[in-house]
Structure formats: C-alpha cells, structure tokens
Amino acid sequence: MNWYDLARGLHILAVIAWMAGLLFLPRLYAYDVEQNGKPEPLRSEMQGLLRVWQARLLGIILRPAMGAAWAFGLWLLWLRSGNGADWSFAHQQWMIAKLAGVFALSAWHGFLAGERKRIVAGASTRTGRFWRMTNEIPFLIAIVMVMSVTLEWTFG
C-alpha cells in the first residue's frame, strides 16, 4: 500500500468538498440579503429556507470537509517528512505558499461562519454585491496553492 498516494487522494477529495462549500455559501448569503426588499410573507419564508441551507452547508459539508482536509494534509506532511525525520521541504518557497493558502482558506471559512451568525442576528451589513464580488476568493487562493504544489516553484 502506498500510504502517501492514499493520503494525497483523500486530501484532494476533502479539499474539493471544502472548496465547493466555500464557493457556494457566499452565494446563499447574497440571496439571503436580497430578500430584505421583498414583501412578507415571501421574505421570511425565503430567508428561513436559505438559513436552513446555510446551516446545513456549514455543518454537514464545510466543517467536516475542512477538518478532513487539515487531517489528511497533516498526514501528507508527516509522510513527506519521512515520518518526522526530515522537514527541510517545509522551508521551501512553494510549501510556504501552500501553507499560507491553507491558513487563508481557513480564515475565510471562519469569516463565513461568523458572518452567518451576524446574518441570523440581523446584524450583518454586507450587501449582495459584496458577496458576489468576494465569492471567488477561495478559488484564487486555490490557484496559487495548486500551482505551488504541482510546480514546486521557487523565486530567485
């Protein structure tokens, strides 16, 4: 059994699920915000449905996928190090860029989870336009991460 290939495959699957949620949740937020101008009872009914979908997306897909992506990613790091023997690759520029991307995606995930609490409490000041404009942030971060790992590039 090639444990590294297994860990890499499971990591990729977890990241795909995590990215899907990170790309879809802001769209649900945009739809939620845009209900504010609608008449009752349509506004309340739609926001109620959207908020159930938001909660399910966070709880059933996003949180578990992020946890799995982190767990399999840490396993990959351990395996790549030769079971803890050589961590020199962790100081290379491509790996630093990859890890910076992981922390950026995790921060964005945290921001989205916190924003859901503000939306439910009626305290969010974000507009539908904001959510549409920031919707692709995870994908842009992922581009840098994937290119870093596949090319193992360096500067200078």
Side-chain angles (χ1 to χ4, degrees):
M1 163 83 51
N2 185 331
W3 293 108
Y4 186 83
D5 286 343
L6 175 64
R8 184 172 48 178
L10 292 171
H11 179 67
I12 290 169
L13 291 170
V15 169
I16 289 170
W18 189 24
M19 287 296 297
L22 290 174
L23 292 168
F24 188 51
L25 190 57
R27 188 59 59 161
L28 290 177
Y29 291 167
Y31 297 153
D32 190 306
V33 168
E34 291 165 355
Q35 299 308 307
N36 288 334
K38 304 268 172 84
E40 288 294 348
L42 179 62
R43 181 185 63 78
S44 295
E45 288 175 15
M46 284 302 298
Q47 282 181 328
L49 283 172
L50 288 164
R51 291 174 186 181
V52 166
W53 297 342
Q54 294 162 14
R56 287 180 180 167
L57 183 59
L58 270 165
I60 297 171
I61 296 174
L62 270 165
R63 287 186 187 113
M66 182 178 95
W70 267 90
F72 294 129
L74 292 171
W75 188 23
L76 278 170
L77 289 173
W78 177 255
L79 292 170
R80 173 118 185 193
S81 75
N83 298 327
D86 179 15
W87 291 93
S88 60
F89 72 94
H91 299 95
Q92 295 177 9
Q93 293 170 342
W94 66 270
M95 182 54 76
I96 293 169
K98 160 70 181 208
L99 294 175
V102 171
F103 287 108
L105 284 180
S106 298
W108 182 247
H109 178 121
F111 170 75
L112 291 177
E115 190 63 23
R116 182 174 183 286
K117 292 177 184 176
R118 288 184 284 280
I119 289 170
V120 170
S124 177
T125 59
R126 312 282 180 206
T127 64
R129 183 169 189 250
F130 170 84
W131 291 117
R132 283 185 171 75
M133 290 180 66
T134 60
N135 192 57
E136 302 305 322
I137 287 173
F139 185 68
L140 297 174
I141 295 169
I143 290 170
V144 173
M145 293 168 65
V146 169
M147 298 311 290
S148 296
V149 171
T150 57
L151 298 176
E152 293 190 11
W153 46 259
T154 59
F155 295 112

